Amino acid sequence: EVQLVESGGGVVQPGGSLRLSCAASGFTFNIYSMNWVRQAPGKGLECVAAISDIGGSTAYGGSVKGRFTISRDNSKNTLFLQMNSLGAEDTAVYYCAKKRSTIGGHDDFDHWGQGVLVTVSS
Amino acid sequence: DIQMTQSPSSVSASVGDRVTITCRASQIISRSYLAWYQQKPGRAPKLLIYGTSSLHSGVSSRFSGSGSETDFTLTISSLQPEDFATYYCQQANSFPWTFGQGTNLEVK
């Protein structure tokens, strides 16, 4: 059974940093691209970062580019999101999401973690 | 970025009704790269349909998808109590992958 378990969320002051982790199990982690998708309270879904299967390629949404870094440790089946210079607009539930297919560079997501809440507040 | 616009934003329906949700992309996207998700309060989204019309494993056949180019639809043929939720379309044509704003399907 595929499982994605996020951790590392919490309350952080504006301008602060936080590192999210997503522990993956139940599938061959190192052959799938992975993404971080966030959802602000009461709002829709926003893909903030994507990383290829072996981590050689990354991409970022415009709202987080230059502040967030996605990475992975395939030896530990873990995905990360380093978030710096956080602002109130980054308050959201952050989900890690597994790409459905191993083929091609177009990501839809067949498995999602339970989500972790990040609150940016003084 | 490709903007995805869903309509309606909210719809009220009854068990047994047929419901259609529309998703319009701001530019032409491949049929292969349009997906639909269902999300219930406090839960992660679940994949329903990918590639415009392919049903994800384990998803009821009362869900179906169609469309092409910029206009896509999700249809629920006969609403069941467990179908009341928020639905999102997503394009995977070009990064950043973007989602519609969501359609809240509620009980009439």
Side-chain angles (χ1 to χ4, degrees):
Chain A
E1 178 195 2
V2 172
Q3 286 199 339
L4 299 168
V5 179
E6 300 98 338
S7 60
V11 180
V12 60
Q13 292 189 337
S17 299
L18 212 56
R19 189 193 199 203
L20 305 182
S21 300
C22 171
S25 61
F27 66 102
T28 305
F29 183 68
N30 63 7
I31 63 171
Y32 287 93
S33 294
M34 297 291 294
N35 286 247
W36 287 98
V37 179
R38 70 182 180 184
Q39 186 169 36
K43 301 297 184 182
L45 300 163
E46 178 189 11
C47 183
V48 297
I51 188 167
S52 60
D53 50 5
I54 59 172
S57 177
T58 59
Y60 299 91
S63 62
V64 307
K65 208 167 191 176
R67 301 188 298 123
F68 288 13
T69 302
I70 188 171
S71 61
R72 64 193 296 163
D73 184 341
N74 284 348
S75 70
K76 296 181 178 177
N77 289 354
T78 304
L79 176 72
F80 301 101
L81 185 67
Q82 176 67 42
M83 304 184 294
N84 298 331
S85 302
L86 286 162
E89 68 277 10
D90 298 313
T91 293
V93 173
Y94 285 74
Y95 297 100
C96 63
K98 170 189 166 290
K99 184 184 175 187
R100 176 183 53 83
S101 171
T102 59
I103 299 170
H106 303 269
D107 299 2
D108 50 45
F109 313 114
D110 63 347
H111 289 89
W112 298 62
Q114 83 285 358
V116 63
L117 178 62
V118 172
T119 302
V120 184
S121 174
S122 54
Chain B
D1 298 4
I2 298 176
Q3 184 176 354
M4 307 298 286
T5 304
Q6 290 180 228
S7 60
S9 294
S10 182
V11 57
S12 298
S14 301
V15 171
D17 285 353
R18 179 184 180 92
V19 171
T20 296
I21 299 168
T22 296
C23 178
R24 174 162 287 177
S26 61
Q27 60 186 265
I28 291 173
I29 63 175
S30 167
R31 284 176 47 88
S32 298
Y33 306 135
L34 190 286
W36 290 95
Y37 300 85
Q38 176 194 69
Q39 186 180 33
K40 295 183 178 179
R43 305 296 298 271
K46 289 185 176 180
L47 178 65
L48 297 174
I49 287 173
Y50 62 93
T52 296
S53 58
S54 296
L55 213 58
H56 183 51
S57 174
V59 174
S60 170
S61 58
R62 63 181 179 273
F63 292 93
S64 62
S66 64
S68 63
E69 297 196 339
T70 60
D71 295 311
F72 300 87
T73 60
L74 172 70
T75 299
I76 311 172
S77 61
S78 178
L79 274 173
Q80 297 302 298
E82 61 269 29
D83 298 337
F84 292 98
T86 300
Y87 293 85
Y88 294 93
C89 61
Q90 179 231 334
Q91 66 81 18
N93 200 80
S94 62
F95 193 86
W97 324 127
T98 48
F99 296 82
Q101 81 280 13
T103 295
N104 182 33
L105 175 55
E106 56 187 19
V107 179
K108 182 182 283 184

